[in-house]
C-alpha cells in the first residue's frame, strides 16, 4: 500500500510539472502573438 501511494504521488508530481511546461509554452506563444500584433500596429501607424 505504501508503494502504491508513493507511485501515485510521483505520478502527480510529474503531471504537475508537465502541466506547468504546457502552460508556459502557451503563455510564450500568446505573448509572441501579442507582441507581433503590437509591433505590426505601430509599423502601420508610423507608415500612415
Amino acid at each position: 500500500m505504501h508503494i502504491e501511494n508513493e507511485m501515485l504521488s510521483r505520478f502527480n508530481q510529474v503531471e504537475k510539472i508537465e502541466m506547468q511546461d504546457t502552460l508556459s509554452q502557451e503563455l510564450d506563444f500568446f505573448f509572441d502573438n501579442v507582441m507581433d500584433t503590437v509591433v505590426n500596429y505601430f509599423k502601420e501607424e508610423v507608415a500612415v
Side-chain angles (χ1 to χ4, degrees), residues 9-46:
S9 69
R10 284 185 185 178
F11 177 74
N12 286 337
Q13 287 173 353
V14 168
E15 218 172 40
K16 283 180 187 175
I17 291 170
E18 287 176 357
M19 283 177 57
Q20 287 174 349
D21 288 348
T22 303
L23 182 60
S24 174
Q25 289 171 353
E26 287 181 13
L27 284 174
D28 287 346
F29 181 71
F30 172 76
F31 283 116
D32 285 347
N33 284 340
V34 168
M35 291 310 294
D36 287 346
T37 303
V38 169
V39 168
N40 288 335
Y41 173 78
F42 282 108
K43 281 184 183 174
E44 290 172 8
E45 285 294 311
V46 170

